[in-house]
Amino acid sequence: SSRPLRDAIVLESHNDFDSNGGALYDWLITNGLNKKYKIIWLLWNKNPGKLPDNVTACRLTMPGLRKAYYLYTSKYLLSSHAVIGSYRDDQVSVYMDHGAMSLKSVKGVYFIPHNLNYILMPSEDMAPILINDYNVDTSFTRPIITGYPYQDILYSDEPGDLKKITTESYNKVIIWMPTFRKNKNGVRNDSSKDEKMGIPVIDNYDQYERLNEYLNDNNVLMIIKIHPMQDLSVVRIQTLSNIIVLDGKSVKQYGVDNYRLMKDTDALITDYSSVACDYLHLDRPIGYTLDDEADYRLGFLVNPPEKLMAGEKIYNYDQLIDFISGIVASKDLYKTARHELFDKCFKYHDGKSCATLADSLHLD
C-alpha cells in the first residue's frame, strides 16, 4: 500500500502569491496554519525570496523530483490557474478559479480534468451555468459553494493600494479595466473590431486628451489598467495628468494588487471581465463598455450578457463622459439592480471566504 499522505498543502496561482491562492495563503499564515501544515508553492516565476516557517517553493513548469514528491504526498492540492487534479484517491484537489464569473464564455478553452475533486462556485444560481461553461463532469468533480478567497480583500479595513501609485487627493477615483481583445502572442484575437487606441470607446488621440481635460476640470483620477494578456503594441495611450495607465510591468514595479486597488476607487468601468462581478462586493457604480459586443468572438456566458450587468451601458465617447459626470455628481441609478445581481451571483457577502473554504475542507 502507498504511504499515508502528509499534512501538506500545495498552492498555485496565476502570478504566484496573488489571486485565490495568494489570498488563501495569507489567511493560512495569519492563522498560524503553517504550524500544522507544510505549505508548498508551485511557482510560475523564479525566486520568491525568504518564505515563512514551514513554507517552501518549487517551479511548476520544470520537471523535478521535489515537485513530484510534493504532488504525490500532500493531502491538499489547491490551484487557481493550472487546474491540478489529485494524483491519489485519498488526496483532496480543489480548483479555486482565478476570477468570479466573467461575462465571456470559456467553453472549449477550459477543460476540468476528471481527477479534480472540487471546483469553487459562487452561488446555487450560477453553478449550473458555470458547470456547463467549464464542461465539468459532476460525476467526478463536485462544485462547492463558497466565496472566492481573494474577494475577502474587498471587505478588509486596511488601506488599499492607491497610495502606491499617487499621493495626490482627488474628488473621485475611477478604475477602468478592459478585458483583453488581442493577446501578446497574437494567437487569440477575441474581437474583430479594430480599436484605434487599443482600448474600447476612444477613437482617437484627440478624444483621449479631451477625456483627460474633463477629468482634470473635475479633479477626477482615472486609472486604466491594461489586461496582463493584452498585446501592448496596439495600446496607444499613456499616462497624462489625470490618467494613470498601468500594464503588467508597472503593476509589478508598484507592487499593486488589483483588488487592493479597486477598494480605493469610487467606480469601475469594464466590459466582459470578471472584475465586474467582483466589484459588486463593493456596492459602487459600474459602467460597461459594449462598443464591440456584436464583434466579440468568444461568445458570452449568458445570452444576452446584459442579464449579468447592473450599470450604465457605454457605446461611445459621449456616453463615457456621461457616466463619469454621474460619478462626479455622486449619482447611483443602478443600486437596486446591482443588489439583485449580487444576490444572484454570490451566496456569501461576508468577506469570510477563506474561513468558509478552510472549514469546508476541514483544514482547521
Side-chain angles (χ1 to χ4, degrees), residues 286-290 306 309-316 319 334:
I286 304 169
Y288 301 85
T289 64
L290 302 177
E306 283 79 358
M309 295 180 189
E312 212 108 345
K313 320 287 188 290
I314 301 167
Y315 292 92
N316 56 43
Q319 290 175 338
Y334 288 86

Side-chain angles (χ1 to χ4, degrees), residues 64 132 190 221 248:
N132 169 49
D190 292 345
L221 174 67

Side-chain angles (χ1 to χ4, degrees), residues 19-308:
S19 185
N20 283 319
L24 183 65
Y25 168 72
D26 290 342
W27 185 89
L28 291 168
I29 299 296
T30 304
N31 288 280
L33 284 164
N34 54 323
K35 295 184 179 69
K36 181 175 174 183
Y37 296 97
K38 183 171 190 70
I39 297 173
I40 300 104
W41 268 100
L42 291 186
L43 300 176
W44 288 91
N45 307 301
K46 292 195 187 73
N47 184 11
K50 193 172 163 2
L51 293 167
D53 284 349
N54 214 17
V55 179
T56 188
C58 48
R59 294 290 294 281
L60 171 75
T61 48
M62 310 271 277
L65 280 173
R66 240 176 102 238
K67 180 176 85 170
Y69 172 72
Y70 290 134
L71 285 171
Y72 280 94
T73 60
S74 299
K75 254 184 209 171
Y76 296 97
L77 307 173
L78 302 171
S79 57
S80 350
H81 197 69
V83 197
I84 298 163
S86 300
Y87 289 77
R88 286 169 46 174
D89 288 345
D90 44 356
Q91 283 179 313
V92 175
S93 56
V94 184
Y95 178 50
M96 299 184 288
D97 216 335
H98 51 276
M101 302 66 66
S102 77
L103 303 188
K104 50 191 181 187
S105 169
V106 294
K107 209 168 178 59
V109 179
Y110 266 79
F111 293 96
I112 302 298
H114 281 168
N115 63 342
L116 180 78
N117 303 136
Y118 299 106
I119 179 168
L120 291 197
M121 297 270 164
S123 69
E124 276 86 358
D125 274 344
M126 293 308 298
I129 297 170
L130 291 165
I131 285 166
N132 169 49
D133 206 50
Y134 276 164
N135 292 304
V136 179
D137 186 333
T138 49
S139 53
F140 294 98
T141 304
R142 297 226 307 275
I144 40 177
I145 310 266
T146 62
Y148 293 110
Y150 68 85
Q151 290 173 341
D152 292 358
I153 294 166
L154 301 172
Y155 290 84
S156 106
D157 296 334
E158 288 164 35
D161 277 358
L162 183 63
K163 60 183 184 306
K164 292 183 179 176
I165 57 175
T166 179
T167 50
E168 304 280 317
S169 72
Y170 294 90
N171 174 15
K172 300 283 181 188
V173 179
I174 299 173
I175 188 162
W176 186 352
M177 300 173 84
T179 187
F180 73 99
R181 304 300 198 279
K182 187 170 176 200
N183 78 350
K184 288 182 200 147
N185 53 21
V187 174
R188 265 175 76 176
N189 189 356
D190 292 345
S191 172
S192 54
K193 184 177 194 299
D194 182 31
E195 292 179 335
K196 309 278 186 298
M197 302 296 292
I199 57 166
V201 182
I202 293 181
D203 297 323
N204 51 53
Y205 201 76
D206 178 53
Q207 277 184 356
Y208 187 64
E209 286 192 307
R210 274 165 48 212
L211 168 64
N212 185 61
E213 260 168 56
Y214 181 83
L215 296 166
N216 192 21
D217 292 345
N218 290 282
N219 190 29
V220 175
L221 174 67
M222 180 176 278
I223 300 161
I224 302 180
K225 173 146 184 324
I226 305 297
H227 193 285
M229 302 253 302
Q230 175 71 30
D231 171 6
L232 293 180
S233 70
V234 300
V235 176
R236 296 188 177 82
I237 56 169
Q238 81 269 25
T239 295
L240 299 176
S241 66
N242 287 58
I243 303 176
I244 296 176
V245 180
L246 296 177
D247 57 25
K249 204 158 115 210
S250 51
V251 163
K252 278 211 178 70
Q253 280 164 348
Y254 287 120
V256 167
D257 171 273
N258 270 356
Y259 305 99
R260 289 193 175 92
L261 188 55
M262 277 191 220
K263 254 178 61 144
D264 287 349
T265 61
D266 300 285
L268 168 73
I269 299 171
T270 186
D271 36 58
Y272 323 115
S273 166
S274 58
V275 294
C277 293
D278 293 324
Y279 207 76
L280 294 169
H281 288 274
L282 291 169
D283 194 18
R284 296 170 202 162
I286 304 169
Y288 301 85
T289 64
L290 302 177
D291 57 326
D292 69 345
E293 187 176 353
D295 308 298
Y296 198 69
R297 294 194 175 140
L298 273 191
F300 297 105
L301 186 63
V302 297
N303 275 312
E306 283 79 358
K307 282 190 203 163
L308 288 179

